[in-house]
Amino acid sequence: MFEKVLVANRGEIAIRVMRTLKEMGIGSVGVYSEADREAPHVAEADEAFLLGPPPPAESYLRIEKLLEVASESGAEAIHPGYGFLAENAAFAQACSEAGVVFIGPPASAIESMGSKTRAREIMRDAGVPIVPGATEPSADVDAARETAEELGYPVACKAAGGGGGKGFRVARTVDELAEAFEGAAREGERFFSDDRVYLERYLDDPRHVEVQVLADSHGNVVHLGERDCSIQRRHQKLIEEAPGPHVDAEMRERIGRIATDAARAVSYRSAGTVEGMQVGEEYFFLEMNTRVQVEHCVTEMVTGVDIVREQVLIATGEELSVSQQAVELRGHAIECRINAEAAHKGFAPAPGRIEHYVEPGGPGVRVDSGLRAGSEVTPLYDPMVAKLIVWDGDRDRATARMLRALGEYEISPLQTLIPFHRAILATEQWARGETCRDLTDDREWLRELAPPPANSADASADQGEKTERTYAVEVDGRLHKVKVIGAAAGAAAPTPATKRPPRRERAAGAGGGASGPALASPLQGTILKVAVDEGAEVEEGALICVIEAMKMENEIAAHRSGKVASLAVRQGAAVNAGDQICTIEQA
């Protein structure tokens, strides 16, 4: 057994891994960037080392520095978590060459599955059903156009090294192909250093169903059932559940066999996930994630298997602690990703500081969090604040428990997806087990999730700053909660029950809801693309630019029709929330 393990990650996944290490009696080594000096995962580690400046490329992605820390600290193994270097074959190989155990699959398996086209080819040859499409990247847009004509529209343009929803664009017509191809290539290059793009038939409204697998070095491969991850925005997951609401025993056995066959085809070892698309009774291989998934928690809740513990044991050379016959799914689990995003603004990133933070509790409730009161969600990293997971005897009861837990969660003044989760879990679509794409793609429905405006009294300048306080008042032996909004009392000491009323939000449009000629940036980030020139005539909703923030590309659209009188941004430049992007003058 290892005595010390370096956790090459940050946030909630670093803390989650460290907790299992502590239970196993293994010391944990944390790492951090200059921006994360006060982060909770640093305090959770038994010892911690600085990697470098805030940008990931100068800290969490520095392979040589991580190996240097492993050597200095005496760590015998490295757990990569997810993201960053978790699926980097070069990192796995570098660990091996340095005599450090990589707690994950062999570099060869990462290499095979890291290229989506190579993975599709391997799965096809192994008899695993794949989504109709190419097994080789298209050389350019013209070649992609020929492939698209063969497949028929709509088509999905996918980065060969992509994953997690990045490098995925859809072209519904030939007119949309060039933009989709270019966008997929750009994200592939930015996030995976691979701009190659291949095409697949785009399946309309499929269910995203994935299977958790475990494989050891003794030839044992098991699956732990499936997870349904169909609630997504921009092909990135928001809510996951296990078991799948439309997977019966026969399909579970069939897709479990597909997943274990896929793992054996690449001599897999460690925890991994085979992702697929469910269309009715059909199931198609999509890709394999060679790491622990963000949503592994729901599988742990219904099986009782600690997936991270299994990863560590497998890395030490031990056999799996669970057999296929012993795997039993009990009850139902749901996970909501609590991201710092404004759903009413098209899921725009909403970085900021957390001043007040209270997690929910009670039976069947689990919170995997990487932040606390005083922490800040920065544009540098993923917008996830926490994962809220609940378990109960069946899906309806688990839904009721999740709604209760969401109602208890207090995070302010940071904007999060809590209002979105509460709204969508209360819909008939969710109750019927639908994908809910009609809601996540509906801008009008999303705008209804905007925070309530402050009352008219709050807008009066002579009223001064307003605060909201909740008091417990006893009347005739009965306790009542009374909310009072009034002028801030300078002498009043802040209490956990004191919070500011929600700020007034402008109408949430793609361009931030501006009504005058100026179009302001709704977020902080980097300009990846400028789609217009000064003097151009544009229609309302036309693409003006693309801003990358918190690992997401955000398309900023014209807030009204007219002429682009001035353009204040350029490709590669940084932009802050509120900065002017352009002015659009109406005739």
Side-chain angles (χ1 to χ4, degrees), residues 276-345:
M277 293 295 189
Q278 179 189 358
V279 182
E281 295 302 311
E282 292 187 288
Y283 187 81
F284 300 101
F285 171 85
L286 184 62
E287 62 187 25
M288 185 172 188
N289 293 127
T290 54
R291 53 174 166 80
V292 67
Q293 293 276 91
V294 176
E295 60 274 16
H296 73 281
C297 314
V298 291
T299 297
E300 293 184 330
M301 297 288 270
V302 297
T303 63
V305 176
D306 183 332
I307 293 172
V308 171
R309 180 184 177 88
E310 293 299 317
Q311 282 188 294
V312 175
L313 292 175
I314 291 167
T316 66
E318 294 192 23
E319 292 192 50
L320 295 177
S321 67
V322 61
S323 66
Q324 192 64 67
Q325 293 73 26
V327 175
E328 182 180 351
L329 307 188
R330 297 183 179 90
H332 201 93
I334 302 170
E335 174 180 288
C336 288
R337 300 192 186 194
I338 311 300
N339 294 345
E341 297 178 28
H344 64 288
K345 294 182 178 179

Side-chain angles (χ1 to χ4, degrees), residues 240-422:
E240 300 96 357
E241 58 183 315
H246 295 285
V247 176
D248 58 19
E250 183 279 327
M251 174 169 275
R252 180 168 299 116
E253 182 179 354
R254 174 157 48 94
I255 65 178
R257 187 167 56 252
I258 288 173
T260 52
D261 286 348
R264 288 191 177 94
V266 291
S267 301
Y268 199 77
R269 187 183 71 241
S270 191
T273 299
V274 173
E275 302 201 3
M277 293 295 189
Q278 179 189 358
V279 182
E281 295 302 311
E282 292 187 288
Y283 187 81
F284 300 101
F285 171 85
L286 184 62
E287 62 187 25
M288 185 172 188
N289 293 127
T290 54
R291 53 174 166 80
V292 67
Q293 293 276 91
V294 176
E295 60 274 16
H296 73 281
C297 314
V298 291
T299 297
E300 293 184 330
M301 297 288 270
V302 297
T303 63
V305 176
D306 183 332
I307 293 172
V308 171
R309 180 184 177 88
E310 293 299 317
Q311 282 188 294
V312 175
L313 292 175
I314 291 167
T316 66
E318 294 192 23
E319 292 192 50
L320 295 177
S321 67
V322 61
S323 66
Q324 192 64 67
Q325 293 73 26
V327 175
E328 182 180 351
L329 307 188
R330 297 183 179 90
H332 201 93
I334 302 170
E335 174 180 288
C336 288
R337 300 192 186 194
I338 311 300
N339 294 345
E341 297 178 28
H344 64 288
K345 294 182 178 179
F347 298 100
R353 181 172 293 276
I354 299 173
E355 297 176 5
H356 176 72
Y357 184 84
V358 178
E359 293 179 351
V365 175
R366 167 179 170 179
V367 181
D368 281 19
S369 173
L371 298 172
R372 62 192 174 197
S375 297
E376 183 171 2
V377 179
T378 80
L380 292 165
Y381 309 120
D382 189 278
M384 182 179 290
V385 175
K387 301 182 305 195
L388 174 59
I389 311 102
V390 303
W391 177 93
D392 210 326
D394 58 35
R395 190 172 189 266
D396 289 343
R397 287 160 58 186
T399 298
R401 178 161 285 172
M402 177 61 82
L403 286 168
R404 186 267 296 171
L406 287 165
E408 291 181 3
Y409 218 143
E410 298 178 21
I411 305 174
S412 64
L414 191 74
Q415 288 189 38
T416 72
L417 291 183
I418 289 176
F420 165 82
H421 291 309
R422 296 182 69 178

Side-chain angles (χ1 to χ4, degrees), residues 31-91:
V31 291
Y32 60 95
S33 70
E34 292 173 355
D36 278 342
R37 278 196 174 95
E38 303 300 320
H41 81 271
V42 178
E44 183 71 26
D46 293 320
E47 52 187 301
F49 293 77
L50 175 67
L51 291 175
E58 299 176 44
S59 51
Y60 295 105
L61 294 175
R62 292 179 62 190
I63 293 176
E64 73 288 347
K65 182 63 176 179
L66 287 165
L67 292 175
E68 178 186 314
V69 170
S71 176
E72 183 179 348
S73 66
E76 303 141 277
I78 294 179
H79 194 299
Y82 57 72
F84 293 134
L85 295 168
E87 294 183 279
N88 188 301
F91 180 46

Side-chain angles (χ1 to χ4, degrees), residues 223-240:
H223 71 85
L224 302 181
E226 79 286 349
R227 299 185 286 258
D228 190 301
C229 312
S230 299
I231 310 295
Q232 304 183 6
R233 54 95 173 90
R234 294 197 290 274
H235 308 292
Q236 294 178 312
K237 302 164 187 173
L238 296 173
I239 302 175
E240 300 96 357

